[in-house]
């Protein structure tokens, strides 16, 4: 099969997500293209990919539609890898291949960035947008059409931000108005939303899996069965992902789906993390086996988050899937990891639901406000990984000052003061379990 897709990113996520989707298309005779992986950094992973000729195994473990899933697929969608730090000419040669049509990227949240020190003559430029500009300029000079670009980085307007930086580099490097017009008119930068927990290389089960496979697979990958890929645009006629049975949504606006994910999935995590940690529960799965904390989650999700978001069939289906995913016995999702940078997470994920509920009901969503009290309690009693100034402020100031600090929450939360103070008083006087019980009354 011809190489038709360039992928920026060698990590576990895309190999457990987009790469296995393309493999499924090929195996169903719905597509006949392979992926060439480009490392955005000087990665040794390219050598591993080439040593295995792109082949690897993916295990899907989890609960789907109430049934346990455990399946292995040998993935053949990747043709080879290129490290532009070692083979820059081979990297630029990709631009001259007319069969290459799509670009997929996942270079982490920090990957889409602008570095004014990057130059067109660098081999390669440092930042990912600069590398992409080098490739696009070579494509333009070859007289070929541009690409359809699916950015999968976890930032707002991921593809449009990438496009902006590409244009900024074209201007910085004085590549001309014709090239700028070619970028805008011959390329499609498509925002996307991705959702799948990819747990990566399974060290604990490595021997068992390699025995089953029959050879040592250094690219072995594991993930949950659930997946969602929302893409602005519609290229189903070229990439028939929906026809292949995949959970793909082609749309003209990713924003409502991002709101659904942030409010339901991320909001549930953030509202549950500190009640769980204060109860001595370490993982998401353990929380789902704790009847009191499970009730707390269900109350937050179905009594407050969903009603303010809109109880559509799509939102309800996503919420039900979230509960299955949280209960996945194959994923040890640590609350300590989820707790990182929780001040900004609470502001983005939970506070909008609190605000909407107050506006719609003229009442406080008690369990969600209680989760804020638990955050404050945990930050005061523990060393946390968050913005240093935010963590220090919470540790050293009164509840009233914390809630009224608009630099922390982008809003004055003094209206939540009574419930937060009552929550903390019950935690101190009667214990966290009694406080959780009180929050549900």
């Amino acid at each position: 099969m011809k190489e038709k897709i360039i992928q920026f990113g060698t990590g576990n996520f895309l190999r457990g997500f987009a790469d296995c989707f393309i493999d499924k298309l090929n195996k169903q005779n719905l597509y006949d293209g392979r992926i060439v992986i480009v490392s955005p950094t000087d990665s040794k992973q390219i050598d591993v990919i080439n040593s295995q000729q792109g082949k690897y195994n993916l295990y899907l473990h989890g609960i789907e539609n109430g049934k346990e899933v455990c399946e292995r697929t040998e993935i053949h969608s990747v043709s080879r890898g290129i490290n532009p730090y070692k083979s820059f000419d081979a990297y630029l040669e990709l631009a001259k291949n007319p069969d290459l049509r799509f670009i997929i990227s996942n270079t982490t949240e920090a990957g889409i960035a602008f570095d004014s020190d990057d130059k067109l003559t660098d081999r390669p430029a440092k930042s990912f947008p600069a590398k992409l500009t080098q490739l696009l300029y070579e494509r333009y000079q070859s007289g070929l059409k541009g690409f359809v670009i699916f950015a999968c980085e976890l930032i707002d307007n991921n593809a449009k931000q990438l496009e902006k930086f590409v244009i900024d580099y074209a201007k910085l490097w004085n590549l001309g108005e014709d090239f700028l017009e070619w970028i805008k008119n011959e390329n499609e930068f498509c925002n996307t939303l991705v959702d799948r927990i990819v747990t990566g290389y399974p060290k604990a089960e490595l021997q068992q899996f390699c025995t089953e496979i029959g050879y040592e697979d250094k690219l072995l990958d594991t993930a949950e069965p659930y997946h969602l890929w929302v893409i602005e645009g519609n290229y189903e006629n070229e990439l028939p992902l929906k026809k292949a049975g995949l959970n793909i949504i082609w749309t003209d606006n990713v924003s409502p789906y991002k709101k659904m994910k942030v409010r339901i999935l991320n909001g549930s995590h953030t509202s549950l993390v500190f009640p769980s940690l204060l109860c001595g529960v370490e993982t998401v799965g353990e929380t789902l086996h704790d009847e009191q904390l499970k009730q707390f989650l269900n109350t937050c999700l179905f009594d407050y988050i969903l009603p303010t978001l809109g109880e559509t069939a799509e939102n309800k289906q996503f919420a039900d899937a979230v509960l299955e995913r949280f209960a996945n016995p194959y994923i040890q999702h640590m609350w300590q990891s989820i707790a990182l940078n929780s001040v900004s997470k609470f502001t983005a994920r939970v506070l909008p639901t609190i605000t909407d509920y107050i506006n719609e009901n003229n009442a406080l969503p008690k369990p969600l406000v209680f989760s804020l009290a638990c955050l404050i309690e945990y930050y005061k009693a523990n060393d946390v990984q968050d913005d240093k100034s935010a963590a220090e402020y919470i540790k050293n100031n009164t509840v009233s000052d914390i809630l009224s600090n608009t630099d922390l929450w982008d809003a004055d939360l003094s209206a939540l003061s009574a419930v937060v103070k009552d929550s903390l008083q019950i935690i101190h006087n009667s214990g966290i379990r009694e406080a959780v019980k009180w929050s549900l009354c």
Side-chain angles (χ1 to χ4, degrees):
M1 290 180 287
K2 295 178 179 179
E3 291 176 343
K4 295 185 177 181
I5 300 171
I6 301 171
Q7 174 177 306
F8 286 89
T10 63
N12 294 318
F13 179 77
L14 284 181
R15 289 191 292 106
F17 191 75
D19 297 356
C20 73
F21 300 164
I22 299 302
D23 183 74
K24 190 166 187 175
L25 289 184
N26 288 333
K27 288 174 179 174
Q28 293 185 27
N29 295 318
L30 296 173
Y31 192 64
D32 62 345
R34 300 186 79 190
I35 300 163
V36 54
I37 295 180
V38 174
S39 57
T41 61
D42 189 3
S43 172
K44 295 180 180 178
Q45 189 78 336
I46 290 295
D47 293 334
V48 181
I49 290 169
N50 288 331
S51 71
Q52 296 190 185
Q53 297 178 309
K55 181 178 70 174
Y56 65 95
N57 290 267
L58 175 68
Y59 278 85
L60 298 182
H61 277 172
I63 309 297
E64 189 173 40
N65 299 322
K67 296 180 181 179
E68 188 170 322
V69 173
C70 182
E71 63 180 48
R72 173 178 71 92
T73 304
E74 191 171 74
I75 306 296
H76 295 270
S77 58
V78 176
S79 60
R80 60 184 170 126
I82 295 175
N83 181 346
Y85 290 83
K86 292 184 169 59
S87 306
F88 187 68
D89 290 337
Y91 168 62
L92 287 187
E93 198 66 25
L94 294 173
K96 302 173 184 177
N97 182 351
D99 295 319
L100 286 166
R101 167 69 168 153
F102 294 94
I103 291 177
I104 301 171
S105 72
N106 185 18
T107 58
T108 78
E109 294 91 318
I112 298 181
F114 185 83
D115 186 340
S116 59
D117 291 333
D118 276 323
K119 298 178 179 61
L120 178 65
T121 53
D122 291 341
R123 296 175 60 86
K126 183 179 178 181
S127 77
F128 161 53
K131 290 185 185 72
L132 180 58
T133 307
Q134 289 175 312
L135 185 76
L136 292 178
Y137 190 58
E138 189 76 14
R139 183 83 163 185
Y140 162 76
Q141 290 183 308
S142 299
L144 297 174
K145 291 184 177 181
F147 298 100
V148 178
I149 300 164
F150 299 150
C152 300
E153 289 80 3
L154 299 179
I155 63 171
D156 287 340
N157 297 311
N158 39 27
K160 297 306 178 185
Q161 188 63 52
L162 177 59
E163 181 181 21
K164 177 186 180 299
F165 287 152
V166 167
I167 290 172
D168 288 345
Y169 278 116
K171 292 177 179 178
L172 177 67
W173 296 342
N174 297 314
L175 300 181
E177 287 298 323
D178 287 347
F179 178 54
L180 286 169
E181 289 302 311
W182 182 89
I183 293 172
K184 297 172 185 176
N185 297 329
E186 292 291 339
N187 299 271
E188 292 292 336
F189 288 80
C190 303
N191 293 328
T192 80
L193 170 71
V194 297
D195 189 7
R196 170 174 259 180
I197 297 172
V198 178
T199 40
Y201 194 69
K203 293 180 180 178
E205 303 98 342
L206 184 59
Q207 186 173 355
Q208 171 196 337
F209 288 167
C210 286
T211 299
E212 180 179 328
I213 294 167
Y215 58 89
E216 182 183 8
D217 183 356
K218 295 179 180 179
L219 297 172
L220 188 59
D221 206 0
T222 58
E224 65 173 338
Y226 180 86
H227 64 276
L228 171 66
W229 198 3
V230 184
I231 306 171
E232 284 185 356
N234 192 340
Y235 294 91
E236 178 72 14
N237 60 327
E238 296 182 66
L239 284 177
L241 296 162
K242 289 179 68 68
K243 187 174 182 181
L246 295 162
N247 190 22
I248 308 296
I249 297 173
W250 302 102
T251 180
D252 58 1
N253 186 6
V254 165
S255 297
Y257 300 96
K258 184 185 179 194
K259 183 178 180 181
M260 176 182 75
K261 177 179 180 284
V262 168
R263 295 279 189 103
I264 295 176
L265 174 65
N266 304 123
S268 294
H269 267 154
T270 302
S271 61
L272 194 58
V273 55
F274 292 110
S276 297
L277 285 173
L278 290 172
C279 287
V281 177
E282 295 184 352
T283 70
V284 176
E286 290 175 55
T287 293
L288 269 290
H289 287 95
D290 183 304
E291 288 303 319
Q292 186 184 49
L293 292 173
K294 183 178 179 180
Q295 182 186 358
F296 181 82
L297 168 61
N298 285 334
T299 300
C300 290
L301 182 54
F302 293 105
D303 292 355
Y304 297 98
I305 296 174
L306 268 183
T308 57
L309 184 62
E311 295 186 80
T312 65
E314 194 168 46
N315 288 341
K316 179 65 165 58
Q317 184 180 22
F318 186 75
D320 290 339
V322 162
L323 293 181
E324 282 194 334
R325 297 167 70 189
F326 282 9
N328 188 343
Y330 296 100
I331 294 178
Q332 297 299 308
H333 209 169
M334 304 299 294
W335 282 122
Q336 287 288 1
S337 298
I338 293 169
L340 301 178
N341 303 311
S342 279
V343 171
S344 60
K345 286 179 178 177
F346 191 92
T347 300
R349 299 172 174 186
V350 183
L351 189 54
T353 298
I354 292 176
T355 302
D356 286 352
Y357 189 87
I358 292 171
N359 291 338
E360 293 172 14
N361 299 280
N362 197 28
L364 294 179
K366 192 174 174 184
L368 295 180
V369 179
F370 173 75
S371 72
L372 175 59
C374 290
L375 182 156
I376 294 171
E377 173 68 13
Y378 192 87
Y379 270 53
K380 282 187 171 295
N382 298 274
D383 292 328
V384 296
Q385 292 184 305
D386 204 332
D387 177 81
K388 186 176 180 180
S389 61
E392 288 296 320
Y393 191 90
I394 293 174
K395 187 180 287 289
N396 297 313
N397 286 274
T398 67
V399 171
S400 296
D401 287 341
I402 292 166
L403 294 177
S404 63
N405 188 332
T406 57
D407 289 336
L408 285 177
W409 318 106
D410 294 335
D412 185 341
L413 304 186
S414 298
L416 311 182
S417 181
V419 172
V420 170
K421 289 179 179 179
D422 286 348
S423 301
L424 293 171
Q425 184 175 6
I426 296 170
I427 291 172
H428 296 156
N429 293 341
S430 304
I432 182 62
R433 289 292 180 176
E434 284 299 314
V436 173
K437 182 179 177 181
W438 169 83
S439 76
L440 296 172
C441 295

